Amino acid sequence: MSRAAMTDRKSRKPLPLLCLIAACAVLTACGGGQDDGAEQRSSSAGLPKGRIDAGERQANAKGAATGQSCIDCHGADGNEPLDPTYPKLGGQYADYLGHALQQYRNGNREHALMANQAQDLNDQQIADLAAYFASRPAQIRDLQGAH
């Protein structure tokens, strides 16, 4: 190796390595590491981790407020709504579905039937329903020009 190459190598600062170490430190500090036993939360709806199997059972259960289940109005996979104005739920993002159910439950989103259906759901039940319908095949389409 030439003396010029050795001098050049020694004069370089280990900037890329320092940047990598600093980035790892920042990510670790901001990562909010989970405690043992802490619930995993969804990224935007703040719900516990949803369980698909529990969500399927919940989707088939008749609600006390209306006597109807989710599938009575939205279909078994959330893709055969009873009324064409009802949304297809199959394949929607779980966070979107969870947030919508929270909004119905809290009275921030209005729909006579859905507000009653959601009023007694706890966060875990909402997360489970959202996980179930998100796991179903998507048949979502653009409604532009539908009316």
Side-chain angles (χ1 to χ4, degrees), residues 7-24:
T7 305
D8 186 48
R9 179 185 289 173
K10 288 180 182 177
S11 67
R12 287 187 196 161
K13 304 219 188 265
L15 187 58
L17 180 59
L18 289 176
C19 288
L20 178 61
I21 291 170
C24 288

Side-chain angles (χ1 to χ4, degrees), residues 28-138:
T28 301
C30 295
Q34 302 231 344
D35 296 333
D36 291 340
E39 287 184 7
Q40 184 177 6
R41 296 285 172 173
S42 123
S43 61
S44 69
L47 294 168
K49 183 177 169 88
R51 303 164 300 188
I52 295 170
D53 58 334
E56 182 175 15
R57 288 190 300 276
Q58 183 72 34
N60 285 283
K62 303 286 185 185
T66 64
Q68 295 179 306
S69 69
C70 300
I71 65 165
D72 288 342
C73 294
H74 296 281
D77 281 341
N79 288 314
E80 296 180 35
L82 177 68
D83 182 287
T85 64
Y86 293 177
K88 290 186 175 187
L89 305 178
Q92 284 279 12
Y93 291 106
D95 278 353
Y96 170 77
L97 295 170
H99 182 73
L101 284 170
Q102 286 176 314
Q103 295 301 303
Y104 285 125
R105 179 186 66 191
N106 299 339
N108 297 327
R109 188 169 181 173
E110 296 179 13
H111 186 274
L113 182 61
M114 284 304 303
N116 286 324
Q117 283 292 95
Q119 72 184 356
D120 293 327
L121 296 175
N122 63 40
D123 282 353
Q124 185 64 62
Q125 290 170 316
I126 288 175
D128 294 344
L129 285 167
Y132 170 68
F133 284 113
S135 75
R136 306 293 58 189

